[in-house]
Amino acid sequence: MATRIDFPELEKAMDGLLESALVPERWAGTLEAISRATGSVGAHIMPAAGKFSPGFLTTPNLLEAFDVYFAEDWYKRDFRERGISVALAKGIVIEHDIASEDEFRRQEFYTEFLARFGLRYSAMIGFTSGDTLLSLNLQRRVDDHPFDREEERILLAMRSKLTASVFFDRTGRVSHLNSRAERLLDGDIRIVDRELTSGSQEETGLLRRHLKAVLGGDTFLSPAVSTPVLFSRPGKAPLVIRAQLLRGLPADLFAHSHAVAIVTDLSERARADGDLLRRLFALTPQEATVARLLMEGSSPRQIAEICGLTYETARGYVKKVLSKTGTQRQSQLISLLFGLKI
């Protein structure tokens, strides 16, 4: 049977997990998007072992089931706990790793609890936050097709998006780094004495100031907070780094850290739409080209070489683009265009 997982939609939905960690109000919408993309009826994130935090992250349609789960102590006799060791070993567990068809018919967890809400099949994706084992649970109904091995493979491939790129402690030192962020490290961008550094001392200093402002509780109106930091890479598009404090329930889940940074590799972004740039900001064709090159990380001197302009002329175009877009620096322009999904 063909998979019910919409891979492009799932990838898009998983990208929203980090943003939800930064803006707790987005959790429900992000989990609903993940649920739709995986052909599930609902989704939630909970500790896979140990004490439950005060609250949990779930799609609204599972709230009633959770009320019963705790009120009637089903969490103390959850048949699915036997899957924790599997999740630890391979990162994901599906219902048929836990129970047989016979157990679906006779285990009270299935017959008395899940059946009350028309639920049965799940996929539980394990991930860690510091020393805490968490689980992203996807839930399907009794009459749905259970998660199969092909879907397990797809979900396991998406698992790396469950943790944020770079976490920082209260002093701005790196406290946790996921595999996606590790792959971006090279000879120029490194972690030295637990500090994320660029080959440029100026860029490293900008990140220090950015983290200090974020951790110090400066408002988003502060340029030091609102302006992302660019880490240049010779021969490659730069990285864009934006940090924010962890707040609310996500702060409990990611308790080892005080701030988290989204690291965006500009080489993975689609090229800016020149026609759209011209319409939005009344740019001339040449200015739109310069705006696109700025977004891709080119310096004014590189723009001059690419466009066959003198350095002073290229600088003049850069100033016009920044003025028309209401920005003051290249990093602010990139942030603006990201927000517009250009």
Side-chain angles (χ1 to χ4, degrees), residues 172-183:
R173 300 289 175 174
V174 174
S175 56
H176 179 72
L177 192 73
N178 79 337
S179 59
R180 295 180 71 211
E182 286 176 356
R183 289 194 291 270

PDB file of all heavy atoms in Angstrom, residues 172-183:
ATOM      1  N   GLY A 172      26.161  32.349  26.834  1.00  0.00           N
ATOM      2  CA  GLY A 172      26.378  32.422  25.388  1.00  0.00           C
ATOM      3  C   GLY A 172      27.283  31.331  24.857  1.00  0.00           C
ATOM      4  O   GLY A 172      27.673  31.368  23.684  1.00  0.00           O
ATOM      5  N   ARG A 173      27.613  30.348  25.698  1.00  0.00           N
ATOM      6  CA  ARG A 173      28.426  29.220  25.257  1.00  0.00           C
ATOM      7  C   ARG A 173      27.525  28.118  24.705  1.00  0.00           C
ATOM      8  O   ARG A 173      26.397  27.925  25.167  1.00  0.00           O
ATOM      9  CB  ARG A 173      29.253  28.664  26.418  1.00  0.00           C
ATOM     10  CG  ARG A 173      30.216  29.679  27.022  1.00  0.00           C
ATOM     11  CD  ARG A 173      31.352  29.981  26.084  1.00  0.00           C
ATOM     12  NE  ARG A 173      32.227  31.032  26.604  1.00  0.00           N
ATOM     13  CZ  ARG A 173      33.363  31.412  26.024  1.00  0.00           C
ATOM     14  NH1 ARG A 173      33.753  30.827  24.915  1.00  0.00           N
ATOM     15  NH2 ARG A 173      34.084  32.375  26.546  1.00  0.00           N
ATOM     16  N   VAL A 174      28.028  27.381  23.731  1.00  0.00           N
ATOM     17  CA  VAL A 174      27.245  26.311  23.110  1.00  0.00           C
ATOM     18  C   VAL A 174      27.018  25.197  24.118  1.00  0.00           C
ATOM     19  O   VAL A 174      27.968  24.666  24.702  1.00  0.00           O
ATOM     20  CB  VAL A 174      27.961  25.762  21.863  1.00  0.00           C
ATOM     21  CG1 VAL A 174      27.213  24.556  21.298  1.00  0.00           C
ATOM     22  CG2 VAL A 174      28.088  26.855  20.798  1.00  0.00           C
ATOM     23  N   SER A 175      25.749  24.839  24.331  1.00  0.00           N
ATOM     24  CA  SER A 175      25.412  23.765  25.257  1.00  0.00           C
ATOM     25  C   SER A 175      24.940  22.510  24.529  1.00  0.00           C
ATOM     26  O   SER A 175      24.954  21.423  25.102  1.00  0.00           O
ATOM     27  CB  SER A 175      24.319  24.229  26.228  1.00  0.00           C
ATOM     28  OG  SER A 175      23.175  24.690  25.528  1.00  0.00           O
ATOM     29  N   HIS A 176      24.531  22.653  23.290  1.00  0.00           N
ATOM     30  CA  HIS A 176      24.058  21.497  22.527  1.00  0.00           C
ATOM     31  C   HIS A 176      24.101  21.846  21.046  1.00  0.00           C
ATOM     32  O   HIS A 176      23.802  22.974  20.652  1.00  0.00           O
ATOM     33  CB  HIS A 176      22.625  21.129  22.934  1.00  0.00           C
ATOM     34  CG  HIS A 176      22.075  19.961  22.176  1.00  0.00           C
ATOM     35  ND1 HIS A 176      22.498  18.668  22.368  1.00  0.00           N
ATOM     36  CD2 HIS A 176      21.123  19.892  21.208  1.00  0.00           C
ATOM     37  CE1 HIS A 176      21.835  17.856  21.565  1.00  0.00           C
ATOM     38  NE2 HIS A 176      20.999  18.576  20.848  1.00  0.00           N
ATOM     39  N   LEU A 177      24.474  20.853  20.235  1.00  0.00           N
ATOM     40  CA  LEU A 177      24.587  21.046  18.791  1.00  0.00           C
ATOM     41  C   LEU A 177      24.009  19.814  18.124  1.00  0.00           C
ATOM     42  O   LEU A 177      24.380  18.694  18.464  1.00  0.00           O
ATOM     43  CB  LEU A 177      26.063  21.213  18.427  1.00  0.00           C
ATOM     44  CG  LEU A 177      26.418  21.703  17.029  1.00  0.00           C
ATOM     45  CD1 LEU A 177      26.094  23.183  16.897  1.00  0.00           C
ATOM     46  CD2 LEU A 177      27.909  21.501  16.774  1.00  0.00           C
ATOM     47  N   ASN A 178      23.055  20.009  17.194  1.00  0.00           N
ATOM     48  CA  ASN A 178      22.504  18.828  16.546  1.00  0.00           C
ATOM     49  C   ASN A 178      23.288  18.484  15.291  1.00  0.00           C
ATOM     50  O   ASN A 178      24.181  19.210  14.856  1.00  0.00           O
ATOM     51  CB  ASN A 178      21.009  18.999  16.264  1.00  0.00           C
ATOM     52  CG  ASN A 178      20.735  19.847  15.049  1.00  0.00           C
ATOM     53  OD1 ASN A 178      21.550  20.648  14.625  1.00  0.00           O
ATOM     54  ND2 ASN A 178      19.555  19.696  14.490  1.00  0.00           N
ATOM     55  N   SER A 179      22.961  17.338  14.698  1.00  0.00           N
ATOM     56  CA  SER A 179      23.744  16.835  13.571  1.00  0.00           C
ATOM     57  C   SER A 179      23.685  17.760  12.369  1.00  0.00           C
ATOM     58  O   SER A 179      24.665  17.892  11.624  1.00  0.00           O
ATOM     59  CB  SER A 179      23.257  15.433  13.181  1.00  0.00           C
ATOM     60  OG  SER A 179      21.888  15.449  12.838  1.00  0.00           O
ATOM     61  N   ARG A 180      22.556  18.428  12.175  1.00  0.00           N
ATOM     62  CA  ARG A 180      22.446  19.342  11.034  1.00  0.00           C
ATOM     63  C   ARG A 180      23.418  20.504  11.183  1.00  0.00           C
ATOM     64  O   ARG A 180      24.054  20.933  10.223  1.00  0.00           O
ATOM     65  CB  ARG A 180      21.023  19.864  10.912  1.00  0.00           C
ATOM     66  CG  ARG A 180      19.996  18.797  10.575  1.00  0.00           C
ATOM     67  CD  ARG A 180      18.610  19.404  10.462  1.00  0.00           C
ATOM     68  NE  ARG A 180      18.472  20.217   9.283  1.00  0.00           N
ATOM     69  CZ  ARG A 180      17.692  21.271   9.183  1.00  0.00           C
ATOM     70  NH1 ARG A 180      17.000  21.677  10.225  1.00  0.00           N
ATOM     71  NH2 ARG A 180      17.605  21.942   8.068  1.00  0.00           N
ATOM     72  N   ALA A 181      23.525  21.034  12.389  1.00  0.00           N
ATOM     73  CA  ALA A 181      24.440  22.141  12.624  1.00  0.00           C
ATOM     74  C   ALA A 181      25.892  21.673  12.545  1.00  0.00           C
ATOM     75  O   ALA A 181      26.757  22.391  12.025  1.00  0.00           O
ATOM     76  CB  ALA A 181      24.167  22.772  13.982  1.00  0.00           C
ATOM     77  N   GLU A 182      26.162  20.478  13.030  1.00  0.00           N
ATOM     78  CA  GLU A 182      27.528  19.955  12.987  1.00  0.00           C
ATOM     79  C   GLU A 182      28.053  19.879  11.566  1.00  0.00           C
ATOM     80  O   GLU A 182      29.233  20.130  11.313  1.00  0.00           O
ATOM     81  CB  GLU A 182      27.577  18.567  13.636  1.00  0.00           C
ATOM     82  CG  GLU A 182      27.463  18.597  15.151  1.00  0.00           C
ATOM     83  CD  GLU A 182      27.421  17.205  15.746  1.00  0.00           C
ATOM     84  OE1 GLU A 182      27.396  16.232  14.950  1.00  0.00           O
ATOM     85  OE2 GLU A 182      27.415  17.089  16.977  1.00  0.00           O
ATOM     86  N   ARG A 183      27.172  19.561  10.628  1.00  0.00           N
ATOM     87  CA  ARG A 183      27.601  19.435   9.233  1.00  0.00           C
ATOM     88  C   ARG A 183      27.984  20.774   8.616  1.00  0.00           C
ATOM     89  O   ARG A 183      28.632  20.815   7.571  1.00  0.00           O
ATOM     90  CB  ARG A 183      26.491  18.762   8.408  1.00  0.00           C
ATOM     91  CG  ARG A 183      26.309  17.287   8.723  1.00  0.00           C
ATOM     92  CD  ARG A 183      25.467  16.590   7.662  1.00  0.00           C
ATOM     93  NE  ARG A 183      24.083  17.018   7.679  1.00  0.00           N
ATOM     94  CZ  ARG A 183      23.137  16.440   8.402  1.00  0.00           C
ATOM     95  NH1 ARG A 183      23.436  15.417   9.179  1.00  0.00           N
ATOM     96  NH2 ARG A 183      21.885  16.872   8.365  1.00  0.00           N
TER      97      ARG A 183
END
